[in-house]
Amino acid sequence: MFSISTLVDVVRIPPNMFNNDLQKAAILILKEKYESMINPELGYIIMIMDTNIESVGKMITGDGGTYHKVEFNALTFYPKLQEIVNGEIVDITDFGAFVRIGPTDALLHLSQVMDDYLRSDVKSGVILANQSGKTLKIGSTIRARITAVSIGKATTMGKIGITCRQPFLGTNEWINDELKKIETNKNDKKIKKN
């Protein structure tokens, strides 16, 4: 889930940035420190949006920089268990596919694609279903449910697991097929009643 988080920090403005606008200098320093960071409470910090910096800073003896308290907003992404996400398949492996959701990739294991015998063709970048003939390939857009999230614990990048083994998940084509079956069943029931 994307959100905007308000954070507070103290930034050190080095002497070589004293000629810059204080606000711009603070944003540059915050971007370098926070963007692309993974925080256990916030998730993935994508972008620093705006800042409110105190114009009067403090100096420390022996340090030529000034220290300013700053409050800023950051765009964050924290995947939530059971959340439905849309993503694009970016890699096919022997054990499944990696799907880009937000700023990171999630693993769609072969066992979580569908109820069918599946085969990965890594060279062609395709996952093939034997019985249904359905395929997933690099570049396909899918809808999936998040089933596992591990951020900030024992991993530096975070790990996310997803599934398509539930109704109305998978590629748009799969979802449209399910909707057509439901519509056909409704029409069949109406005809039987009449």
Side-chain angles (χ1 to χ4, degrees):
M1 171 184 301
F2 288 96
S3 63
I4 295 175
S5 303
T6 301
L7 305 169
V8 176
D9 199 354
V10 174
V11 294
R12 178 186 181 273
I13 308 294
N16 64 340
M17 296 183 104
F18 285 169
N19 289 336
N20 295 356
D21 176 62
L22 187 60
Q23 187 88 1
K24 288 180 182 175
I27 288 175
L28 286 171
I29 292 165
L30 291 169
K31 283 179 177 282
E32 189 175 311
K33 181 177 179 180
Y34 285 98
E35 286 184 358
S36 299
M37 174 189 210
I38 300 173
N39 179 294
E41 289 89 32
L42 301 172
Y44 299 84
I45 299 176
I46 300 168
M47 181 175 112
I48 303 302
M49 299 176 61
D50 56 13
T51 63
N52 183 13
I53 186 166
E54 288 184 1
S55 58
V56 177
K58 295 182 180 180
M59 294 185 78
I60 298 175
T61 305
D63 184 351
T66 58
Y67 292 81
H68 301 263
K69 186 175 179 182
V70 63
E71 184 177 289
F72 60 99
N73 290 326
L75 176 64
T76 60
F77 175 76
Y78 197 100
K80 303 281 185 189
L81 283 176
Q82 305 306 321
E83 179 181 4
I84 301 292
V85 293
N86 290 313
E88 179 183 347
I89 296 177
V90 293
D91 192 22
I92 300 288
T93 67
D94 290 330
F95 53 85
F98 285 97
V99 180
R100 177 83 26 92
I101 59 168
T104 190
D105 295 342
L107 173 63
L108 175 61
H109 193 272
L110 280 178
S111 65
Q112 295 300 312
V113 175
M114 66 177 70
D115 291 328
D116 199 338
Y117 179 77
L118 302 172
R119 183 171 49 92
S120 284
D121 186 347
V122 177
K123 288 182 182 177
S124 299
V126 177
I127 295 176
L128 306 161
N130 279 357
Q131 294 173 354
S132 66
K134 294 179 179 178
T135 62
L136 285 177
K137 56 188 170 196
I138 294 175
S140 295
T141 302
I142 66 166
R143 177 187 288 167
R145 181 180 300 277
I146 295 176
T147 56
V149 177
S150 174
I151 293 180
K153 295 172 183 137
T155 61
T156 55
M157 289 301 296
K159 292 182 182 178
I160 302 167
I162 57 176
T163 186
C164 289
R165 286 184 69 151
Q166 295 170 351
F168 306 107
L169 299 179
T171 67
N172 288 337
E173 181 181 308
W174 301 357
I175 295 167
N176 288 336
D177 288 347
E178 285 184 59
L179 291 170
K180 285 177 187 174
K181 285 179 187 175
I182 290 171
E183 192 62 35
T184 302
N185 287 342
K186 281 183 183 178
N187 291 336
D188 290 346
K189 287 180 183 178
K190 284 182 184 177
I191 291 171
K192 286 181 182 179
K193 284 184 180 180
N194 295 332

